[in-house]
PDB file of all heavy atoms in Angstrom:
ATOM      1  N   PRO A  25     -71.156 -42.853 -12.159  1.00  0.00           N
ATOM      2  CA  PRO A  25     -69.820 -42.623 -12.727  1.00  0.00           C
ATOM      3  C   PRO A  25     -68.747 -42.396 -11.672  1.00  0.00           C
ATOM      4  O   PRO A  25     -67.605 -42.818 -11.838  1.00  0.00           O
ATOM      5  CB  PRO A  25     -70.012 -41.383 -13.606  1.00  0.00           C
ATOM      6  CG  PRO A  25     -71.232 -40.714 -13.072  1.00  0.00           C
ATOM      7  CD  PRO A  25     -72.113 -41.827 -12.581  1.00  0.00           C
ATOM      8  N   THR A  26     -69.103 -41.747 -10.577  1.00  0.00           N
ATOM      9  CA  THR A  26     -68.119 -41.512  -9.514  1.00  0.00           C
ATOM     10  C   THR A  26     -67.662 -42.825  -8.906  1.00  0.00           C
ATOM     11  O   THR A  26     -66.471 -43.059  -8.699  1.00  0.00           O
ATOM     12  CB  THR A  26     -68.725 -40.608  -8.432  1.00  0.00           C
ATOM     13  OG1 THR A  26     -69.116 -39.365  -9.014  1.00  0.00           O
ATOM     14  CG2 THR A  26     -67.704 -40.349  -7.330  1.00  0.00           C
ATOM     15  N   LYS A  27     -68.631 -43.702  -8.616  1.00  0.00           N
ATOM     16  CA  LYS A  27     -68.312 -44.996  -8.020  1.00  0.00           C
ATOM     17  C   LYS A  27     -67.430 -45.817  -8.928  1.00  0.00           C
ATOM     18  O   LYS A  27     -66.431 -46.405  -8.495  1.00  0.00           O
ATOM     19  CB  LYS A  27     -69.612 -45.745  -7.714  1.00  0.00           C
ATOM     20  CG  LYS A  27     -69.399 -47.158  -7.187  1.00  0.00           C
ATOM     21  CD  LYS A  27     -70.724 -47.839  -6.958  1.00  0.00           C
ATOM     22  CE  LYS A  27     -70.519 -49.284  -6.504  1.00  0.00           C
ATOM     23  NZ  LYS A  27     -71.806 -49.981  -6.306  1.00  0.00           N
ATOM     24  N   HIS A  28     -67.754 -45.856 -10.223  1.00  0.00           N
ATOM     25  CA  HIS A  28     -66.990 -46.705 -11.135  1.00  0.00           C
ATOM     26  C   HIS A  28     -65.626 -46.104 -11.471  1.00  0.00           C
ATOM     27  O   HIS A  28     -64.675 -46.836 -11.739  1.00  0.00           O
ATOM     28  CB  HIS A  28     -67.814 -46.975 -12.388  1.00  0.00           C
ATOM     29  CG  HIS A  28     -68.939 -47.943 -12.154  1.00  0.00           C
ATOM     30  ND1 HIS A  28     -68.786 -49.298 -12.319  1.00  0.00           N
ATOM     31  CD2 HIS A  28     -70.201 -47.757 -11.706  1.00  0.00           C
ATOM     32  CE1 HIS A  28     -69.915 -49.910 -12.008  1.00  0.00           C
ATOM     33  NE2 HIS A  28     -70.792 -49.000 -11.627  1.00  0.00           N
ATOM     34  N   THR A  29     -65.527 -44.779 -11.447  1.00  0.00           N
ATOM     35  CA  THR A  29     -64.221 -44.155 -11.606  1.00  0.00           C
ATOM     36  C   THR A  29     -63.331 -44.505 -10.433  1.00  0.00           C
ATOM     37  O   THR A  29     -62.129 -44.796 -10.595  1.00  0.00           O
ATOM     38  CB  THR A  29     -64.371 -42.618 -11.706  1.00  0.00           C
ATOM     39  OG1 THR A  29     -65.165 -42.304 -12.845  1.00  0.00           O
ATOM     40  CG2 THR A  29     -63.008 -41.948 -11.844  1.00  0.00           C
ATOM     41  N   LEU A  30     -63.919 -44.500  -9.228  1.00  0.00           N
ATOM     42  CA  LEU A  30     -63.180 -44.847  -8.019  1.00  0.00           C
ATOM     43  C   LEU A  30     -62.704 -46.298  -8.071  1.00  0.00           C
ATOM     44  O   LEU A  30     -61.572 -46.605  -7.715  1.00  0.00           O
ATOM     45  CB  LEU A  30     -64.061 -44.621  -6.792  1.00  0.00           C
ATOM     46  CG  LEU A  30     -63.384 -44.685  -5.432  1.00  0.00           C
ATOM     47  CD1 LEU A  30     -62.321 -43.588  -5.308  1.00  0.00           C
ATOM     48  CD2 LEU A  30     -64.414 -44.536  -4.319  1.00  0.00           C
ATOM     49  N   ILE A  31     -63.581 -47.204  -8.526  1.00  0.00           N
ATOM     50  CA  ILE A  31     -63.214 -48.614  -8.640  1.00  0.00           C
ATOM     51  C   ILE A  31     -62.080 -48.794  -9.631  1.00  0.00           C
ATOM     52  O   ILE A  31     -61.123 -49.552  -9.394  1.00  0.00           O
ATOM     53  CB  ILE A  31     -64.438 -49.453  -9.047  1.00  0.00           C
ATOM     54  CG1 ILE A  31     -65.475 -49.464  -7.914  1.00  0.00           C
ATOM     55  CG2 ILE A  31     -64.035 -50.876  -9.386  1.00  0.00           C
ATOM     56  CD1 ILE A  31     -66.775 -50.127  -8.285  1.00  0.00           C
ATOM     57  N   ALA A  32     -62.174 -48.102 -10.789  1.00  0.00           N
ATOM     58  CA  ALA A  32     -61.123 -48.205 -11.799  1.00  0.00           C
ATOM     59  C   ALA A  32     -59.801 -47.675 -11.273  1.00  0.00           C
ATOM     60  O   ALA A  32     -58.736 -48.265 -11.492  1.00  0.00           O
ATOM     61  CB  ALA A  32     -61.547 -47.439 -13.055  1.00  0.00           C
ATOM     62  N   ALA A  33     -59.861 -46.545 -10.552  1.00  0.00           N
ATOM     63  CA  ALA A  33     -58.643 -45.962  -9.982  1.00  0.00           C
ATOM     64  C   ALA A  33     -58.035 -46.885  -8.945  1.00  0.00           C
ATOM     65  O   ALA A  33     -56.801 -47.023  -8.858  1.00  0.00           O
ATOM     66  CB  ALA A  33     -58.944 -44.598  -9.370  1.00  0.00           C
ATOM     67  N   ALA A  34     -58.901 -47.548  -8.148  1.00  0.00           N
ATOM     68  CA  ALA A  34     -58.398 -48.483  -7.143  1.00  0.00           C
ATOM     69  C   ALA A  34     -57.710 -49.664  -7.805  1.00  0.00           C
ATOM     70  O   ALA A  34     -56.681 -50.162  -7.321  1.00  0.00           O
ATOM     71  CB  ALA A  34     -59.544 -48.958  -6.259  1.00  0.00           C
ATOM     72  N   GLY A  35     -58.279 -50.138  -8.914  1.00  0.00           N
ATOM     73  CA  GLY A  35     -57.644 -51.232  -9.644  1.00  0.00           C
ATOM     74  C   GLY A  35     -56.282 -50.839 -10.181  1.00  0.00           C
ATOM     75  O   GLY A  35     -55.325 -51.617 -10.123  1.00  0.00           O
ATOM     76  N   LEU A  36     -56.187 -49.613 -10.707  1.00  0.00           N
ATOM     77  CA  LEU A  36     -54.901 -49.118 -11.199  1.00  0.00           C
ATOM     78  C   LEU A  36     -53.902 -48.997 -10.062  1.00  0.00           C
ATOM     79  O   LEU A  36     -52.723 -49.363 -10.210  1.00  0.00           O
ATOM     80  CB  LEU A  36     -55.105 -47.762 -11.879  1.00  0.00           C
ATOM     81  CG  LEU A  36     -53.833 -47.083 -12.416  1.00  0.00           C
ATOM     82  CD1 LEU A  36     -53.160 -47.958 -13.467  1.00  0.00           C
ATOM     83  CD2 LEU A  36     -54.181 -45.708 -12.997  1.00  0.00           C
ATOM     84  N   ALA A  37     -54.354 -48.499  -8.913  1.00  0.00           N
ATOM     85  CA  ALA A  37     -53.462 -48.376  -7.757  1.00  0.00           C
ATOM     86  C   ALA A  37     -52.962 -49.737  -7.313  1.00  0.00           C
ATOM     87  O   ALA A  37     -51.786 -49.908  -6.956  1.00  0.00           O
ATOM     88  CB  ALA A  37     -54.201 -47.680  -6.604  1.00  0.00           C
ATOM     89  N   HIS A  38     -53.859 -50.720  -7.335  1.00  0.00           N
ATOM     90  CA  HIS A  38     -53.481 -52.089  -6.938  1.00  0.00           C
ATOM     91  C   HIS A  38     -52.407 -52.638  -7.861  1.00  0.00           C
ATOM     92  O   HIS A  38     -51.417 -53.247  -7.408  1.00  0.00           O
ATOM     93  CB  HIS A  38     -54.714 -52.980  -6.948  1.00  0.00           C
ATOM     94  CG  HIS A  38     -54.427 -54.404  -6.547  1.00  0.00           C
ATOM     95  ND1 HIS A  38     -54.232 -54.781  -5.235  1.00  0.00           N
ATOM     96  CD2 HIS A  38     -54.269 -55.534  -7.296  1.00  0.00           C
ATOM     97  CE1 HIS A  38     -53.980 -56.082  -5.180  1.00  0.00           C
ATOM     98  NE2 HIS A  38     -54.012 -56.557  -6.408  1.00  0.00           N
ATOM     99  N   GLU A  39     -52.583 -52.431  -9.165  1.00  0.00           N
ATOM    100  CA  GLU A  39     -51.609 -52.941 -10.128  1.00  0.00           C
ATOM    101  C   GLU A  39     -50.286 -52.187 -10.048  1.00  0.00           C
ATOM    102  O   GLU A  39     -49.231 -52.744 -10.387  1.00  0.00           O
ATOM    103  CB  GLU A  39     -52.186 -52.844 -11.552  1.00  0.00           C
ATOM    104  CG  GLU A  39     -53.359 -53.770 -11.806  1.00  0.00           C
ATOM    105  CD  GLU A  39     -52.996 -55.235 -11.594  1.00  0.00           C
ATOM    106  OE1 GLU A  39     -51.891 -55.637 -12.005  1.00  0.00           O
ATOM    107  OE2 GLU A  39     -53.806 -55.962 -10.984  1.00  0.00           O
ATOM    108  N   THR A  40     -50.325 -50.944  -9.629  1.00  0.00           N
ATOM    109  CA  THR A  40     -49.105 -50.141  -9.544  1.00  0.00           C
ATOM    110  C   THR A  40     -48.187 -50.631  -8.446  1.00  0.00           C
ATOM    111  O   THR A  40     -46.965 -50.450  -8.495  1.00  0.00           O
ATOM    112  CB  THR A  40     -49.473 -48.655  -9.305  1.00  0.00           C
ATOM    113  OG1 THR A  40     -50.320 -48.215 -10.356  1.00  0.00           O
ATOM    114  CG2 THR A  40     -48.218 -47.779  -9.255  1.00  0.00           C
ATOM    115  N   ARG A  41     -48.747 -51.274  -7.423  1.00  0.00           N
ATOM    116  CA  ARG A  41     -47.929 -51.736  -6.297  1.00  0.00           C
ATOM    117  C   ARG A  41     -46.929 -52.812  -6.708  1.00  0.00           C
ATOM    118  O   ARG A  41     -45.830 -52.881  -6.142  1.00  0.00           O
ATOM    119  CB  ARG A  41     -48.815 -52.262  -5.165  1.00  0.00           C
ATOM    120  CG  ARG A  41     -49.586 -51.190  -4.441  1.00  0.00           C
ATOM    121  CD  ARG A  41     -50.315 -51.733  -3.241  1.00  0.00           C
ATOM    122  NE  ARG A  41     -51.237 -52.818  -3.590  1.00  0.00           N
ATOM    123  CZ  ARG A  41     -52.021 -53.425  -2.704  1.00  0.00           C
ATOM    124  NH1 ARG A  41     -52.002 -53.030  -1.442  1.00  0.00           N
ATOM    125  NH2 ARG A  41     -52.839 -54.395  -3.079  1.00  0.00           N
ATOM    126  N   ASN A  42     -47.289 -53.643  -7.672  1.00  0.00           N
ATOM    127  CA  ASN A  42     -46.387 -54.736  -8.089  1.00  0.00           C
ATOM    128  C   ASN A  42     -45.071 -54.222  -8.669  1.00  0.00           C
ATOM    129  O   ASN A  42     -43.994 -54.627  -8.202  1.00  0.00           O
ATOM    130  CB  ASN A  42     -47.108 -55.661  -9.076  1.00  0.00           C
ATOM    131  CG  ASN A  42     -48.254 -56.399  -8.424  1.00  0.00           C
ATOM    132  OD1 ASN A  42     -48.198 -56.712  -7.238  1.00  0.00           O
ATOM    133  ND2 ASN A  42     -49.287 -56.682  -9.183  1.00  0.00           N
ATOM    134  N   PRO A  43     -45.098 -53.331  -9.671  1.00  0.00           N
ATOM    135  CA  PRO A  43     -43.821 -52.804 -10.160  1.00  0.00           C
ATOM    136  C   PRO A  43     -43.061 -52.003  -9.115  1.00  0.00           C
ATOM    137  O   PRO A  43     -41.823 -51.984  -9.108  1.00  0.00           O
ATOM    138  CB  PRO A  43     -44.208 -51.922 -11.360  1.00  0.00           C
ATOM    139  CG  PRO A  43     -45.662 -51.675 -11.225  1.00  0.00           C
ATOM    140  CD  PRO A  43     -46.226 -52.848 -10.513  1.00  0.00           C
ATOM    141  N   LEU A  44     -43.786 -51.342  -8.214  1.00  0.00           N
ATOM    142  CA  LEU A  44     -43.115 -50.604  -7.139  1.00  0.00           C
ATOM    143  C   LEU A  44     -42.347 -51.557  -6.225  1.00  0.00           C
ATOM    144  O   LEU A  44     -41.230 -51.252  -5.789  1.00  0.00           O
ATOM    145  CB  LEU A  44     -44.130 -49.812  -6.316  1.00  0.00           C
ATOM    146  CG  LEU A  44     -44.602 -48.485  -6.897  1.00  0.00           C
ATOM    147  CD1 LEU A  44     -45.682 -47.877  -6.013  1.00  0.00           C
ATOM    148  CD2 LEU A  44     -43.451 -47.504  -7.065  1.00  0.00           C
ATOM    149  N   ASN A  45     -42.933 -52.722  -5.959  1.00  0.00           N
ATOM    150  CA  ASN A  45     -42.237 -53.713  -5.140  1.00  0.00           C
ATOM    151  C   ASN A  45     -40.966 -54.211  -5.820  1.00  0.00           C
ATOM    152  O   ASN A  45     -39.961 -54.493  -5.158  1.00  0.00           O
ATOM    153  CB  ASN A  45     -43.165 -54.887  -4.839  1.00  0.00           C
ATOM    154  CG  ASN A  45     -44.245 -54.526  -3.832  1.00  0.00           C
ATOM    155  OD1 ASN A  45     -44.055 -53.642  -3.011  1.00  0.00           O
ATOM    156  ND2 ASN A  45     -45.385 -55.196  -3.913  1.00  0.00           N
ATOM    157  N   ILE A  46     -41.009 -54.329  -7.150  1.00  0.00           N
ATOM    158  CA  ILE A  46     -39.822 -54.737  -7.889  1.00  0.00           C
ATOM    159  C   ILE A  46     -38.739 -53.674  -7.779  1.00  0.00           C
ATOM    160  O   ILE A  46     -37.555 -53.979  -7.539  1.00  0.00           O
ATOM    161  CB  ILE A  46     -40.173 -54.998  -9.378  1.00  0.00           C
ATOM    162  CG1 ILE A  46     -41.124 -56.199  -9.478  1.00  0.00           C
ATOM    163  CG2 ILE A  46     -38.905 -55.240 -10.192  1.00  0.00           C
ATOM    164  CD1 ILE A  46     -41.638 -56.442 -10.883  1.00  0.00           C
ATOM    165  N   VAL A  47     -39.138 -52.418  -7.950  1.00  0.00           N
ATOM    166  CA  VAL A  47     -38.183 -51.308  -7.822  1.00  0.00           C
ATOM    167  C   VAL A  47     -37.575 -51.301  -6.424  1.00  0.00           C
ATOM    168  O   VAL A  47     -36.353 -51.127  -6.266  1.00  0.00           O
ATOM    169  CB  VAL A  47     -38.883 -49.960  -8.109  1.00  0.00           C
ATOM    170  CG1 VAL A  47     -37.956 -48.794  -7.772  1.00  0.00           C
ATOM    171  CG2 VAL A  47     -39.323 -49.886  -9.556  1.00  0.00           C
ATOM    172  N   ARG A  48     -38.402 -51.514  -5.422  1.00  0.00           N
ATOM    173  CA  ARG A  48     -37.917 -51.521  -4.040  1.00  0.00           C
ATOM    174  C   ARG A  48     -36.913 -52.652  -3.826  1.00  0.00           C
ATOM    175  O   ARG A  48     -35.860 -52.458  -3.186  1.00  0.00           O
ATOM    176  CB  ARG A  48     -39.095 -51.698  -3.079  1.00  0.00           C
ATOM    177  CG  ARG A  48     -38.725 -51.573  -1.610  1.00  0.00           C
ATOM    178  CD  ARG A  48     -39.951 -51.825  -0.720  1.00  0.00           C
ATOM    179  NE  ARG A  48     -39.706 -51.443   0.668  1.00  0.00           N
ATOM    180  CZ  ARG A  48     -39.058 -52.177   1.553  1.00  0.00           C
ATOM    181  NH1 ARG A  48     -38.576 -53.367   1.196  1.00  0.00           N
ATOM    182  NH2 ARG A  48     -38.869 -51.743   2.792  1.00  0.00           N
ATOM    183  N   GLY A  49     -37.227 -53.822  -4.349  1.00  0.00           N
ATOM    184  CA  GLY A  49     -36.324 -54.967  -4.204  1.00  0.00           C
ATOM    185  C   GLY A  49     -34.983 -54.730  -4.864  1.00  0.00           C
ATOM    186  O   GLY A  49     -33.921 -55.064  -4.299  1.00  0.00           O
ATOM    187  N   LEU A  50     -35.006 -54.155  -6.062  1.00  0.00           N
ATOM    188  CA  LEU A  50     -33.749 -53.870  -6.769  1.00  0.00           C
ATOM    189  C   LEU A  50     -32.928 -52.826  -6.019  1.00  0.00           C
ATOM    190  O   LEU A  50     -31.694 -52.940  -5.925  1.00  0.00           O
ATOM    191  CB  LEU A  50     -34.056 -53.393  -8.189  1.00  0.00           C
ATOM    192  CG  LEU A  50     -34.646 -54.441  -9.148  1.00  0.00           C
ATOM    193  CD1 LEU A  50     -35.038 -53.796 -10.458  1.00  0.00           C
ATOM    194  CD2 LEU A  50     -33.634 -55.559  -9.393  1.00  0.00           C
ATOM    195  N   ALA A  51     -33.595 -51.807  -5.499  1.00  0.00           N
ATOM    196  CA  ALA A  51     -32.892 -50.769  -4.742  1.00  0.00           C
ATOM    197  C   ALA A  51     -32.253 -51.350  -3.495  1.00  0.00           C
ATOM    198  O   ALA A  51     -31.120 -51.006  -3.129  1.00  0.00           O
ATOM    199  CB  ALA A  51     -33.848 -49.639  -4.377  1.00  0.00           C
ATOM    200  N   GLN A  52     -32.945 -52.261  -2.826  1.00  0.00           N
ATOM    201  CA  GLN A  52     -32.391 -52.907  -1.643  1.00  0.00           C
ATOM    202  C   GLN A  52     -31.173 -53.755  -1.992  1.00  0.00           C
ATOM    203  O   GLN A  52     -30.180 -53.774  -1.247  1.00  0.00           O
ATOM    204  CB  GLN A  52     -33.461 -53.774  -0.974  1.00  0.00           C
ATOM    205  CG  GLN A  52     -34.480 -52.997  -0.166  1.00  0.00           C
ATOM    206  CD  GLN A  52     -35.451 -53.908   0.546  1.00  0.00           C
ATOM    207  OE1 GLN A  52     -35.949 -54.879  -0.016  1.00  0.00           O
ATOM    208  NE2 GLN A  52     -35.712 -53.624   1.809  1.00  0.00           N
ATOM    209  N   MET A  53     -31.239 -54.472  -3.121  1.00  0.00           N
ATOM    210  CA  MET A  53     -30.113 -55.293  -3.557  1.00  0.00           C
ATOM    211  C   MET A  53     -28.884 -54.433  -3.821  1.00  0.00           C
ATOM    212  O   MET A  53     -27.773 -54.785  -3.426  1.00  0.00           O
ATOM    213  CB  MET A  53     -30.496 -56.066  -4.814  1.00  0.00           C
ATOM    214  CG  MET A  53     -31.492 -57.197  -4.588  1.00  0.00           C
ATOM    215  SD  MET A  53     -31.967 -57.999  -6.143  1.00  0.00           S
ATOM    216  CE  MET A  53     -30.352 -58.529  -6.756  1.00  0.00           C
ATOM    217  N   ILE A  54     -29.098 -53.290  -4.473  1.00  0.00           N
ATOM    218  CA  ILE A  54     -27.983 -52.391  -4.762  1.00  0.00           C
ATOM    219  C   ILE A  54     -27.370 -51.862  -3.473  1.00  0.00           C
ATOM    220  O   ILE A  54     -26.148 -51.819  -3.298  1.00  0.00           O
ATOM    221  CB  ILE A  54     -28.448 -51.231  -5.655  1.00  0.00           C
ATOM    222  CG1 ILE A  54     -28.850 -51.762  -7.040  1.00  0.00           C
ATOM    223  CG2 ILE A  54     -27.349 -50.171  -5.791  1.00  0.00           C
ATOM    224  CD1 ILE A  54     -29.495 -50.722  -7.932  1.00  0.00           C
ATOM    225  N   ALA A  55     -28.239 -51.467  -2.536  1.00  0.00           N
ATOM    226  CA  ALA A  55     -27.758 -50.892  -1.270  1.00  0.00           C
ATOM    227  C   ALA A  55     -26.949 -51.888  -0.460  1.00  0.00           C
ATOM    228  O   ALA A  55     -26.062 -51.502   0.312  1.00  0.00           O
ATOM    229  CB  ALA A  55     -28.941 -50.381  -0.455  1.00  0.00           C
ATOM    230  N   LYS A  56     -27.233 -53.193  -0.619  1.00  0.00           N
ATOM    231  CA  LYS A  56     -26.553 -54.213   0.175  1.00  0.00           C
ATOM    232  C   LYS A  56     -25.256 -54.709  -0.473  1.00  0.00           C
ATOM    233  O   LYS A  56     -24.506 -55.468   0.135  1.00  0.00           O
ATOM    234  CB  LYS A  56     -27.498 -55.404   0.393  1.00  0.00           C
ATOM    235  CG  LYS A  56     -28.672 -55.092   1.314  1.00  0.00           C
ATOM    236  CD  LYS A  56     -29.590 -56.295   1.469  1.00  0.00           C
ATOM    237  CE  LYS A  56     -30.757 -55.974   2.392  1.00  0.00           C
ATOM    238  NZ  LYS A  56     -31.679 -57.125   2.521  1.00  0.00           N
ATOM    239  N   GLN A  57     -24.994 -54.301  -1.697  1.00  0.00           N
ATOM    240  CA  GLN A  57     -23.787 -54.748  -2.374  1.00  0.00           C
ATOM    241  C   GLN A  57     -22.544 -54.142  -1.724  1.00  0.00           C
ATOM    242  O   GLN A  57     -22.568 -53.016  -1.211  1.00  0.00           O
ATOM    243  CB  GLN A  57     -23.828 -54.365  -3.858  1.00  0.00           C
ATOM    244  CG  GLN A  57     -24.828 -55.180  -4.679  1.00  0.00           C
ATOM    245  CD  GLN A  57     -24.791 -54.787  -6.134  1.00  0.00           C
ATOM    246  OE1 GLN A  57     -24.112 -53.851  -6.524  1.00  0.00           O
ATOM    247  NE2 GLN A  57     -25.529 -55.517  -6.957  1.00  0.00           N
ATOM    248  N   THR A  58     -21.492 -54.875  -1.742  1.00  0.00           N
ATOM    249  CA  THR A  58     -20.228 -54.385  -1.182  1.00  0.00           C
ATOM    250  C   THR A  58     -19.414 -53.702  -2.269  1.00  0.00           C
ATOM    251  O   THR A  58     -19.499 -54.046  -3.448  1.00  0.00           O
ATOM    252  CB  THR A  58     -19.415 -55.555  -0.598  1.00  0.00           C
ATOM    253  OG1 THR A  58     -19.178 -56.526  -1.626  1.00  0.00           O
ATOM    254  CG2 THR A  58     -20.170 -56.200   0.557  1.00  0.00           C
ATOM    255  N   GLY A  59     -18.655 -52.730  -1.876  1.00  0.00           N
ATOM    256  CA  GLY A  59     -17.770 -52.067  -2.812  1.00  0.00           C
ATOM    257  C   GLY A  59     -18.405 -50.992  -3.660  1.00  0.00           C
ATOM    258  O   GLY A  59     -17.761 -50.471  -4.567  1.00  0.00           O
ATOM    259  N   ILE A  60     -19.671 -50.651  -3.410  1.00  0.00           N
ATOM    260  CA  ILE A  60     -20.295 -49.598  -4.214  1.00  0.00           C
ATOM    261  C   ILE A  60     -20.053 -48.244  -3.561  1.00  0.00           C
ATOM    262  O   ILE A  60     -19.851 -48.157  -2.327  1.00  0.00           O
ATOM    263  CB  ILE A  60     -21.817 -49.833  -4.380  1.00  0.00           C
ATOM    264  CG1 ILE A  60     -22.521 -49.770  -3.013  1.00  0.00           C
ATOM    265  CG2 ILE A  60     -22.099 -51.150  -5.064  1.00  0.00           C
ATOM    266  CD1 ILE A  60     -24.032 -49.803  -3.141  1.00  0.00           C
TER     267      ILE A  60
END
């Protein structure tokens, strides 16, 4: 159970990176805008 819990958690962590990259990209776009 420990091994498979770890594998499941790693899968969740892997999937979490994708939306985080989207958030990062949007934040960068906002920071680069002029006049804000």
Side-chain angles (χ1 to χ4, degrees):
T26 301
K27 175 182 177 181
H28 286 270
T29 299
L30 191 62
I31 293 173
L36 178 61
H38 180 77
E39 292 301 319
T40 303
R41 289 187 303 183
N42 294 328
L44 280 176
N45 287 333
I46 294 174
V47 172
R48 186 182 192 280
L50 291 174
Q52 283 184 316
M53 289 176 58
I54 294 172
K56 291 179 180 178
Q57 288 182 355
T58 58
I60 63 172

